[in-house]
Each structure stands twice: as C-alpha cells, then as structure tokens.
C-alpha cells in the first residue's frame, strides 16, 4: 500500500455548510419565507405537501465547488450526479452553471436530452446498462463509464461504424465508506466496476482489440453521505498508482481522473460534514502531490457530487392533520405526506430536522413523533423530535430534502407525487407539477373480459 504524508487543509472561506436553505428567514411573527416568499403563500398557490427548492443555495454550492477547483487544482470537471434530483429545470440550471451531468438510466438521459443539455458534458453510469442505453450513449456521443464486460460487449456490438467511443473505467479501489467510517480491503464485494487488479490487463486488451475506444481515465465512488476526507483522497491515490503502472507498462497516459461523489451534508445540527472547499482542497492536494511523485501529467479532475449540491436547498412543507396523543407514551403528529415523498427515514433510518411555520421554534417544546399518512406503521418521518407544540392545520417544514426525496418518491397507496417549486429572489416557479388522480390512471388498462 502506498503511504502519503498527512495533509492539512486551511481554507479561509465563510461556511455555506448550513442546514437550512440560504434564503430561509423568519419574520417577527415567526412566519417562514424562502427567498422572501412566505411558505403560507406558496402552499396556498401550489398545495401541500410541497417540495421547495432555494435556487440561491444550489448556485452557491455549485460555485463553492467551482471556485475551490480553480483555487486548489486547475483543470476540472464538476459533474452533478442527477440521481439525487433529476427534472428538466434542474438539468437547465446545471447547464447554465456549466456543470456536467451524471446519468444512470435512459430516463435521466432522456430528461437531459429533452432540454438540449449538451451531450458532450454527460457521463453514463450503471452496472447493468441495457442495449437501449448503450445505443443512446453511442448516438449522442455520451461518455460511457465502463463498468463491466457486458458494457464492452454491447458497445462493440452496437458501435457498427466503429467510431470513437470515450470511456472511463470504473474500478473498486478497495476503499469502502459507510457514512462515518471507512475500510480498506484488497477486494470489495460490490456490484459496480472492475477489480483494480484486473485493470492493467483490461487496458491492454482495450488498446489491442478495441482501437476505437478512447480511455479517458479511471473512476471510483466510495460511498455517500461521507464525513471524512481521507477515504476519497486514498481512493484517488490508489487510482493514480494504477495510472503510473499503466503509463510505465503500456505507455498510455490517462487524461482524466474521476473520484466520484459522496460528500455528506447536515441533516441535523449535530452533523459536521467537511466544507466543500476543504474536500476539494484535500483531494486536489493529494492528486497534485501524487502526480509529481509518479511523474504523471495532472489529469482533469472530475468529481460527481449529488447530495451536497441540492439537498440543503430543499425543504418539504406538510400540513398537519390528526394529532394522536397516547398519554405517557407518545404523541403522533400526522402530516399529509410521508414515506411516498420521503422514503429515506423508513429505508435508511435517516434523521431530519423539522420546524413549524408561524411558531417560535424555541418555545413550547414537547417531544412528538411526526407520522406520515401512509398505511404502514413504520411510516414515520421523524421519531421523537423536540418541537414547538403543534396544532391541526399548522404547516410543518422538514429540512434538507432536496436530494433523494423526489427522486425516490413513489405512488404507494396511490399517492400523487407532490409539486416542486423553484424559488429565487425574483419569483417562484413550478418545476414539477403535482400529480393528478388522472395521472395515476394513465397507465392502467382493463382487459376486455373484466370490463
Ligand atoms: N457517483 C456515483 C457513481 C454514485 O453512485 C453516487 C451515488 C454519486 C456519484 C453521488 O453521491 P452523493 O454525492 O449524492 O452522495 N439513496 C441514497 C443515496 C444513494 C447514493 C447512490 N450513489 C440516500 O438517499 O441517501
């Protein structure tokens, strides 16, 4: 294993590591606004539950990444992992910010295509890409993250004219991160990517048998909601060590290095993820030092964050209905949404912060459980939160819901997915319409013998 000196970072930036959207405010009546627009009015216009996204927060976080790459590294490509939240408006916003797009399905690609997102700025991931997906990449000159030999077989079969195909090889670097901890192992049990030990042979094979394939570099992604900086740095170093071998033994110099996404965000005030600037600085330093040490040309450094670009920008507003008090046991405060619009609590035991609109968040505190409305006892959004006493009809805000909420939403119990509105200082715009009851029926058919 390679060892590197301990590196320290010293970024003098103001923190944007806020739990709440940057444009969040409360007036003297404790009414909440986003970018100057009252929640109450937004809900009146668009209904509840409502996903609200603060545009200023997304742009600030994008710019924090971009500025940090410029300051600490040089040539880079910031790629938004759109699985966190993919819809037309977000693709457009990323395009306007000159951010590239990581897609993992024909659906995400189709959304980007529908708004003319520049296809040369898209990369396509996946451990089991379909022929249709590979075909779409080839037709649109989308860079393919080569994950396995099935990808290679499909590329070769479908690329009839043998035109140039740009790929990045995904590897399992032997570093795995489960949120706050990470482990280094020789081999990793993962459905994604090639084993690092096989990469040299793979590159040699590609060079010999697939001359139309252009290998841009290697990729690794070690996990999500990560609070440590060392694992990503270590993964980068493992990859660069391989670059050195590839250069020495095959004479090929990689031009890109993709170190994945994964930076964590604050869901609770006690969460303390690194600053965007710090993770970029830390990784950049490691890459620069390793390139010097291994005599490599500095590659274009790619990072593909999802959550850390959009999660803190998002809130979900619910209306409170039933309040069930079981004396000496528990008080359930029930909202008009739940696991269908935010599956993360039931799926990952994810924790969230919530507050009431128009009530002082520091007064009249009691411990309650925020329950969803879906037919499953486990449909609880927040267990045992200390919150201002709630009444029926109050609006409840859950924070940090910009990532992996809408994108993982379901129609469980035939729920209609909520609307999403993008808010900035000049106005608010509906970017995803609320599903209607007819939307639910759109795909249903009744066979003639039943009608
Ligand atoms: N790149 C690759 C190859 C990934 O698999 C992922 C996330 C990302 C980038 C972006 O990671 P981020 O910066 O968002 O952490 N549904 C889970 C998260 C799954 C993440 C999957 N891969 C959740 O709700 O926490």
């Amino acid at each position: 294993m390679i060892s590197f000196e301990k590196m320290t970072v010293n970024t003098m930036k103001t923190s944007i590591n806020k739990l709440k959207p940057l444009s969040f405010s409360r007036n003297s009546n404790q009414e909440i606004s986003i970018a100057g627009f009252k929640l109450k009015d937004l809900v009146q216009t668009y209904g509840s539950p409502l996903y609200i996204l603060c545009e200023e927060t997304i742009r600030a976080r994008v710019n924090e990444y971009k500025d940090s790459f410029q300051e600490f590294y040089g040539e880079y490509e910031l790629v938004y992992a759109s699985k966190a939240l993919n819809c037309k408006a977000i693709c457009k916003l990323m395009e306007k910010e000159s951010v590239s797009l990581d897609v993992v399905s024909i659906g995400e690609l189709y959304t980007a295509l529908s708004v003319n997102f520049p296809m040369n700025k898209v990369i396509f991931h996946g451990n089991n890409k379909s022929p249709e997906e590979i075909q779409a990449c080839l037709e649109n000159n989308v860079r393919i993250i080569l994950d396995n030999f099935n990808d290679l077989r499909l590329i070769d079969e479908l690329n009839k004219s043998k035109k140039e195909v740009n790929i990045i090889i995904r590897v399992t670097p032997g570093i795995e991160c489960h949120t706050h901890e990470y482990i280094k192992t020789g081999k990793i049990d993962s459905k994604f990517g090639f084993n690092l030990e096989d990469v040299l042979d793979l590159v040699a094979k590609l060079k010999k048998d697939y001359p139309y394939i252009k290998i841009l570099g290697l990729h690794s992604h070690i996990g999500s909601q990560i609070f440590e900086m060392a694992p990503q740095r270590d993964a980068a170093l493992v990859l660069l060590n391989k670059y050195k071998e590839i250069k020495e033994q095959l004479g090929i110099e990689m031009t890109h290095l993709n170190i994945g996404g994964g930076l964590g965000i604050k869901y609770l005030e006690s969460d303390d993820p690194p600053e965007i600037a710090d993770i970029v600085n830390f990784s950049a330093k490691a890459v620069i030092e390793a390139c010097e040490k291994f005599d490599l040309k500095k590659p274009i450094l790619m990072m593909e964050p999802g959550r850390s670009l959009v999660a803190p920008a998002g809130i979900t507003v619910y209306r409170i209905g039933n309040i069930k008090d079981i004396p000496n046991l528990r008080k359930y405060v029930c909202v008009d949404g739940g696991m269908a619009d935010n599956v993360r609590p039931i799926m990952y035991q994810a924790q969230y912060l919530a507050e009431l609109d128009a009530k002082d968040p520091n007064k009249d505190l009691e411990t309650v459980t925020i329950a969803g409305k879906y037919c499953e006892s486990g449909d609880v959004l927040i267990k045992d939160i200390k919150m201002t006493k709630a009444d029926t009809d109050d609006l409840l805000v859950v924070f940090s819901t910009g990532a992996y909420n809408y994108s993982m939403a379901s129609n469980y119990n035939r729920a209609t997915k909520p609307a999403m509105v993008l808010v900035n200082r000049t106005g608010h715009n509906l970017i995803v319409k609320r599903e209607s009851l007819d939307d639910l029926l759109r795909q249903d058919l009744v066979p003639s013998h039943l009608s």
Side-chain angles (χ1 to χ4, degrees), residues 81 83-84 102 125 170 192 219 221 223-225 260-263 267 304-308 344 348 403-404 408:
K83 75 205 75 179
D102 149 6
H125 269 284
R170 178 163 184 174
F192 294 107
H219 166 281
H221 171 79
S224 200
Q225 183 62 0
L263 174 63
Y267 284 100
E304 45 186 33
R307 187 191 321 264
S308 56
R344 297 191 72 259
Y348 313 117
Y404 304 113
M408 295 176 79

Side-chain angles (χ1 to χ4, degrees), residues 4-233:
F4 290 83
E5 314 79 68
K6 197 169 156 43
M7 278 169 280
T8 52
V9 285
N10 181 21
T11 44
M12 302 295 289
K13 301 206 164 175
T14 340
S15 170
I16 59 158
N17 248 354
K18 307 264 190 298
L19 194 155
K20 295 176 185 172
L22 295 179
S23 67
F24 173 95
S25 65
R26 280 184 183 270
N27 65 15
S28 53
N29 295 324
Q30 297 296 343
E31 289 172 305
I32 297 173
S33 293
I34 299 291
F37 295 99
K38 284 187 188 170
L39 284 195
K40 192 176 66 183
D41 296 339
L42 292 171
V43 167
Q44 178 140 30
T45 308
Y46 301 108
S48 74
L50 181 64
Y51 294 119
I52 299 178
L53 283 177
C54 164
E55 188 171 333
E56 184 184 330
T57 305
I58 300 179
R59 288 190 191 262
R61 298 183 77 85
V62 164
N63 282 300
E64 183 84 350
Y65 270 106
K66 293 200 298 198
D67 293 348
S68 307
F69 276 114
Q70 271 153 20
E71 184 175 347
F72 303 119
Y73 190 75
E75 253 195 297
Y76 72 95
E77 185 175 347
L78 177 63
V79 188
Y80 167 58
S82 72
K83 75 205 75 179
L85 172 57
N86 185 308
C87 61
K88 289 180 176 185
I90 294 299
C91 291
K92 284 311 273 183
L93 178 55
M94 293 302 169
E95 183 192 347
K96 297 261 181 265
E97 286 288 349
S98 308
V99 174
S100 299
L101 211 62
D102 149 6
V103 300
V104 296
S105 70
I106 190 87
E108 288 181 359
L109 181 66
Y110 190 66
T111 309
L113 269 168
S114 76
V115 289
N116 295 319
F117 192 92
M119 287 292 122
N120 59 353
K121 296 186 76 174
V122 177
I123 59 176
F124 200 112
H125 269 284
N127 65 302
N128 191 21
K129 301 177 190 78
S130 66
E132 183 194 23
E133 289 173 330
I134 295 281
Q135 183 72 45
C137 290
L138 294 172
E139 272 168 22
N140 294 290
N141 295 321
V142 167
R143 290 165 292 174
I144 298 172
I145 307 291
L146 192 80
D147 186 276
N148 52 63
F149 285 108
N150 197 50
D151 282 355
L152 186 58
R153 177 182 67 82
L154 288 173
I155 292 171
D156 201 48
E157 271 174 31
L158 297 169
N159 185 20
K160 301 259 186 301
S161 65
K162 302 294 175 234
K163 68 170 181 175
E164 184 175 272
V165 179
N166 288 304
I167 63 149
I168 295 173
I169 300 170
R170 178 163 184 174
V171 300
T172 45
I175 288 165
E176 201 181 8
C177 213
H178 297 288
T179 60
H180 303 197
E181 279 173 24
Y182 80 103
I183 49 167
K184 293 183 194 177
T185 58
K187 219 170 173 188
I188 272 209
D189 179 3
S190 166
K191 68 173 181 171
F192 294 107
F194 291 91
N195 190 329
L196 189 69
E197 286 157 24
D198 302 332
V199 165
L200 198 67
D201 287 348
L202 173 65
V203 173
K205 182 181 167 67
L206 292 175
K207 189 182 171 189
K208 184 164 147 282
D209 300 338
Y210 302 82
Y212 62 88
I213 288 186
K214 189 166 164 202
I215 310 167
L216 301 176
L218 300 185
H219 166 281
S220 81
H221 171 79
I222 52 174
S224 200
Q225 183 62 0
I226 299 172
F227 279 26
E228 287 174 307
M229 298 200 286
Q232 202 165 32
R233 173 204 60 190

Side-chain angles (χ1 to χ4, degrees), residues 222 228-237 259-262 279 283 303:
I222 52 174
E228 287 174 307
M229 298 200 286
Q232 202 165 32
R233 173 204 60 190
D234 290 353
L237 297 179
I259 57 175
I279 185 87
S283 309
M303 232 192 231

Side-chain angles (χ1 to χ4, degrees), residues 446-451:
V446 179
S448 58
H449 72 281
L450 295 178
S451 55

Side-chain angles (χ1 to χ4, degrees), residues 69-70 73-77 255-256 297-302:
F69 276 114
Q70 271 153 20
Y73 190 75
E75 253 195 297
Y76 72 95
E77 185 175 347
T255 51
H256 294 63
K297 193 165 164 281
K298 237 170 70 184
I300 297 171
L301 186 56
M302 300 171 77

